[in-house]
């Protein structure tokens, strides 16, 4: 069974500027690694001081540095033997003897002399101010001439970071100017290398194309019926988000527009927009696709009720909570069952104000819209068990606290979410035909219900989430998703192309300790 070949972005960037002959030889060598990465027909050398990191020769003067993890070969970098170890910050004592202190008699490295830069400094070092970028290096790394005038005029790092060029162009240049250490490379995501026969084809692509490549497992899981809810479970680095974008392509092909892709951050929204437009070849707006953060969607609906709501500070929330507890105490003393309720009050108060406020915000506001929901809720993960009588007290306390907030025209995040849900429920016009939710483990049940109100049918839902996520995090649970969507269409992504064996080994040692 051959090994899977995956590349780090550092390796991909190293390909630019290599001669065609070197690329052809590298392709043949990677074919060998696919079959036998440990010895590579006797050519591989394990780097001392590193766990499962090797180097293999590409011709006489070039080397590939790679790692082996289970049935995956991770390609970290390729370059001349005089430079690659230095670029990866590998100490000389760990470099194979035959690769040390070699004179560059062929002048292969001369093409880089016009680039004056140093490895990007750490936070504790003095920043490197001067940068000189030549047209020669821009040509080598296949950057379009339309960007040359802007990039060759750059004089320092600040100007480089602010350069008005596409993100993939900037990434490619930064990789050349500031080589990554081996530790940094290990943290980069990995991308499946599908066609090893000719590496030169990859020099015509940019990082967006790499991100859109799927491994065989992902391609197989794409072929599912889209007429029922689909749940995709997988840990970090398994390609859940890329799968969601390919699913959107299928929806567009079948006329399931308009489509909403709900995300948790504006940065991922921009990233998803780039990937989607590259995959589909058109702007998302023309195709009827909206990519929005969940926060912006909630605000969009809430602002129909009130714009720019006043949000209380943490100190104000706590002060009003203490006032609400005092009010509940006085109400209890007037009740017929005052003794029992007084006992409940004392038990709840012993939880501490911080815990009570967290219970209100993370459980009652995030998960429950009715008293009955809270009384039966599985609070696993909250560390402290709360009985039925105490839950009733906490529910009453929450209602008093909300009343005090409203008197002062304050809106907490929980109140904003609840109001947005109410407004969405009252809107008969459903804006979207299909809903895709990315990273649902970060989604509270109230917000999940809100998103479902934006589409015509609960059948038209695609959800991704991290199966390794704790059962209790903002109320997320797969059981709740199953029950709400009533689906059995569950896809599991098992192959992780981001974590390395070194990281897993380190984590295991820490867990044992």
């Amino acid at each position: 069974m051959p090994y899977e070949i995956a590349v780090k972005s550092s390796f991909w960037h190293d390909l630019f500027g290599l001669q065609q002959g070197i690329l052809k030889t590298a392709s043949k060598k990677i074919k060998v690694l696919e079959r036998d990465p440990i010895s590579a027909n006797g050519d591989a050398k394990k780097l001392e001081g590193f766990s499962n990191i090797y180097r293999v020769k590409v011709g006489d003067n070039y080397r590939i540095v790679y790692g082996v993890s289970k049935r995956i070969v991770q390609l970290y970098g390729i370059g001349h033997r005089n430079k690659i170890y230095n670029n990866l910050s590998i100490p000389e004592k760990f470099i194979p003897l035959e690769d040390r202190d070699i004179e560059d008699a062929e002048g292969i490295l001369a093409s880089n002399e016009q680039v004056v830069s140093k490895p990007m400094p750490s936070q504790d070092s003095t920043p490197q101010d001067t940068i000189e970028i030549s047209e020669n290096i821009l040509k080598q790394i296949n950057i379009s001439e339309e960007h040359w005038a802007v990039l060759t005029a750059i004089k320092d790092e600040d100007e480089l970071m602010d350069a008005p060029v596409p993100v993939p162009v900037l990434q490619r240049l930064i990789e050349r100017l500031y080589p990554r250490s081996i530790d940094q490379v290990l943290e980069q995501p990995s991308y499946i290398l599908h066609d090893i026969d000719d590496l030169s084809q990859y020099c015509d692509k940019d990082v967006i194309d790499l991100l859109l490549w799927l491994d065989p497992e992902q391609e197989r899981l794409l072929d599912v019926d889209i007429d029922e809810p689909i749940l995709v479970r997988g840990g970090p680095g398994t390609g859940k988000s890329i799968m969601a974008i390919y699913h959107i392509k299928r929806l567009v092909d079948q006329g399931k527009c308009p489509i909403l892709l709900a995300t948790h951050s504006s940065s991922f929204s921009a990233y998803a927009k780039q990937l989607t437009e590259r995959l589909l070849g058109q702007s998302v707006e023309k195709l009827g696709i909206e990519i929005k953060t969940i926060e912006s969607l909630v605000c969009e609906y809430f602002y129909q009720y009130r714009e720019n709501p006043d949000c209380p500070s943490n100190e104000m929330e706590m002060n009003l909570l203490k006032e609400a507890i005092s009010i509940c105490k006085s109400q209890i003393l007037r009740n017929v069952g005052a003794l029992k309720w007084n006992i409940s009050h004392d038990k709840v108060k012993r939880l501490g104000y911080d815990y009570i406020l967290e219970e209100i915000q993370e459980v009652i506001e995030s998960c429950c819209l009715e008293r009955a929901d809270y009384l039966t809720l599985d609070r696993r993960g909250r560390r402290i068990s709360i009985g039925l009588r105490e839950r009733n007290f906490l529910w009453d306390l929450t209602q008093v606290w909300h009343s005090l907030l409203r008197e002062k025209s304050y809106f907490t995040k929980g109140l904003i979410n609840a109001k947005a849900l109410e407004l969405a429920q009252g809107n008969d016009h459903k804006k979207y035909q299909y809903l895709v939710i990315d990273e649902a483990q970060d989604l509270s049940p109230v917000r999940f219900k809100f998103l479902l109100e934006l589409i015509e049918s609960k059948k038209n839902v695609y959800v991704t989430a991290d199966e390794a996520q704790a059962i209790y995090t903002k109320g997320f649970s797969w059981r709740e998703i199953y029950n709400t969507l009533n689906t059995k269409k569950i896809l599991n992504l098992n192959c992780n192309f981001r974590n390395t064996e070194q990281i897993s080994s380190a984590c295991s040692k820490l867990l044992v300790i």
Side-chain angles (χ1 to χ4, degrees):
M1 179 179 176
Y3 283 71
E4 195 85 66
I5 302 295
V7 301
K8 297 291 188 178
S9 58
S10 56
F11 178 87
W12 174 73
H13 285 289
D14 284 347
L15 295 178
F16 294 101
L18 294 181
Q19 299 171 1
Q20 284 294 318
I22 297 298
L23 289 171
K24 292 288 186 182
T25 305
S27 298
K28 294 178 182 177
K29 187 64 67 171
I30 294 171
K31 281 284 189 181
V32 174
L33 298 181
E34 188 179 33
R35 300 189 305 270
D36 175 25
I38 303 302
S39 71
N41 296 335
D43 187 35
K45 289 269 188 185
K46 186 174 182 180
L47 300 188
E48 298 298 329
F50 295 92
S51 175
N52 297 328
I53 296 182
Y54 301 78
R55 79 95 174 99
V56 71
K57 295 179 181 178
V58 177
D60 293 331
N61 292 308
Y62 283 80
R63 304 290 184 263
I64 292 175
V65 175
Y66 63 98
V68 182
S69 176
K70 296 183 180 179
R71 301 300 299 181
I72 301 174
V73 175
Q74 303 266 7
L75 304 181
Y76 299 146
I78 179 172
H80 195 277
R81 59 184 176 178
N82 280 358
K83 288 199 67 177
I84 189 168
Y85 299 108
N86 182 59
N87 287 348
L88 294 172
S89 299
I90 294 175
E92 184 175 357
K93 63 181 179 179
F94 297 139
I95 300 174
L97 288 175
E98 59 191 290
D99 292 347
R100 297 185 193 177
D101 301 321
I102 305 298
E103 293 294 331
D104 184 26
E106 300 177 20
I108 297 176
L109 305 180
S111 60
N112 289 333
E113 292 177 353
Q114 298 180 56
V115 180
V116 180
S117 65
K118 295 182 179 179
M120 189 166 282
S122 66
Q123 294 179 349
D124 298 328
S125 62
T126 304
Q128 173 70 20
D129 294 325
T130 303
I131 294 178
E132 295 179 17
I133 302 172
S134 69
E135 291 183 357
N136 185 41
I137 190 63
L138 297 178
K139 183 178 180 180
Q140 281 186 22
I141 59 178
N142 202 24
I143 290 179
S144 173
E145 291 187 26
E146 65 181 295
H147 305 303
W148 287 10
V150 170
L151 295 174
T152 54
I154 289 173
K155 299 301 180 185
D156 57 42
E157 290 172 4
D158 289 338
E159 290 184 8
L160 178 63
M161 294 299 103
D162 294 333
V165 296
V167 171
V169 170
L170 187 60
Q171 289 175 332
R172 189 179 301 173
L173 183 55
I174 289 174
E175 286 284 351
R176 176 55 65 94
L177 296 178
Y178 306 107
R180 308 294 183 93
S181 70
I182 188 66
D183 291 333
Q184 292 172 322
V185 170
L186 291 175
E187 294 176 359
Q188 294 176 343
S190 302
Y191 313 110
I192 295 300
L193 190 63
H194 287 293
D195 186 358
I196 304 172
D197 290 325
D198 186 3
L199 288 180
S200 62
Q201 65 173 304
Y202 296 100
C203 296
D204 297 325
K205 302 178 183 290
D206 62 31
V207 75
I208 300 298
D209 296 305
L210 277 173
L211 291 169
L212 287 170
W213 291 342
L214 299 179
D215 78 314
E217 178 194 25
Q218 294 166 331
E219 290 179 337
R220 177 178 58 82
L221 293 177
L222 278 177
D223 188 21
V224 294
D225 184 4
I226 65 174
D227 291 328
E228 62 178 299
I230 300 172
L231 310 181
V232 180
R233 303 188 304 185
T238 53
K240 300 185 300 297
S241 300
I242 300 300
M243 289 280 290
I245 290 169
Y246 270 91
H247 187 72
I248 289 174
K249 181 181 185 301
R250 290 190 66 203
L251 296 172
V252 171
D253 292 342
Q254 298 187 29
K256 300 283 188 179
C257 297
I259 302 165
L260 170 64
L261 170 57
T263 73
H264 287 276
S265 69
S266 55
S267 60
F268 180 77
S269 292
Y271 163 78
K273 183 174 184 291
Q274 277 186 305
L275 291 175
T276 304
E277 290 183 339
R278 177 62 62 88
L279 183 63
L280 296 175
Q282 297 184 56
S283 70
V284 293
E285 292 82 8
K286 288 183 179 179
L287 294 168
I289 303 168
E290 289 191 27
I291 303 176
K292 293 185 175 182
T293 65
I294 298 166
E295 185 73 26
S296 68
L297 288 162
V298 168
C299 291
E300 181 182 316
Y301 272 78
F302 180 82
Y303 288 167
Q304 299 174 23
Y305 173 73
R306 175 172 298 186
E307 291 188 14
N308 302 318
D310 291 328
C311 297
S313 64
N314 292 337
E315 182 181 4
M316 179 58 70
E317 287 180 341
M318 189 63 72
N319 290 338
L320 292 178
L321 176 64
K322 293 176 181 178
E323 184 179 343
I325 291 175
S326 298
I327 292 173
C328 287
K329 174 74 170 179
S330 65
Q331 291 175 345
I332 287 170
L333 294 176
R334 294 195 298 270
N335 289 339
V336 176
L339 178 59
K340 293 182 178 179
W341 282 106
N342 198 47
I343 293 173
S344 296
H345 164 270
D346 291 342
K347 285 184 177 179
V348 168
K349 196 170 181 180
R350 283 199 296 271
L351 295 172
Y353 293 121
D354 289 335
Y355 189 91
I356 294 171
L357 187 59
E358 188 180 84
E359 180 77 8
I360 291 173
Q361 294 177 329
E362 297 295 330
V363 181
I364 295 177
E365 288 187 339
S366 293
C367 306
C368 310
L369 297 176
E370 302 293 341
R371 182 192 295 267
D373 297 329
Y374 181 53
L375 297 182
T376 58
L377 182 69
D378 181 359
R379 297 174 59 262
R380 197 180 314 171
R382 286 289 290 147
R383 305 185 308 277
I384 300 174
S385 176
I386 298 178
L388 187 62
R389 186 180 295 136
E390 286 69 46
R391 291 198 193 198
N392 270 304
F393 180 86
L394 282 166
W395 182 268
D396 293 335
L397 173 61
T398 301
Q399 309 317 304
V400 175
W401 185 62
H402 283 167
S403 296
L404 294 176
L405 287 165
R406 291 191 185 97
E407 286 178 8
K408 297 183 178 297
S409 298
Y410 283 139
F411 286 89
T412 63
K413 181 177 290 188
L415 289 173
I416 290 174
N417 289 335
K419 191 63 182 181
L421 173 58
E422 178 188 331
L423 292 169
Q425 289 172 332
N427 188 350
D428 294 332
H429 174 67
K430 304 305 180 183
K431 190 173 181 181
Y432 307 101
Q433 185 175 350
Y434 206 99
L435 169 65
V436 177
I437 305 174
D438 189 61
E439 301 291 0
Q441 74 275 358
D442 296 321
L443 191 60
S444 70
V446 169
R447 285 195 166 187
F448 182 61
K449 292 176 182 177
F450 162 75
L451 290 174
L452 293 181
E453 291 295 331
L454 306 184
I455 56 174
E456 298 173 359
S457 170
K458 290 181 181 179
K459 289 184 177 182
N460 298 338
V461 180
Y462 185 97
V463 178
T464 78
D466 184 349
E467 64 179 352
Q469 185 71 33
I471 292 175
Y472 186 89
T473 300
K474 296 184 179 178
F476 170 82
S477 82
W478 277 113
R479 181 182 301 175
E480 177 73 18
I481 302 269
Y482 299 150
N483 293 339
T484 301
L485 298 180
N486 189 27
T487 184
K488 296 182 179 179
K489 186 70 69 176
I490 303 168
L491 310 180
N492 291 297
L493 292 171
N494 301 310
C495 192
N496 185 336
F497 296 105
R498 185 178 302 164
N499 292 340
T500 66
E501 186 171 322
Q502 291 84 354
I503 294 173
S504 300
S505 175
C507 290
S508 298
K509 291 177 182 178
L510 289 174
L511 289 172
V512 170
I513 293 171

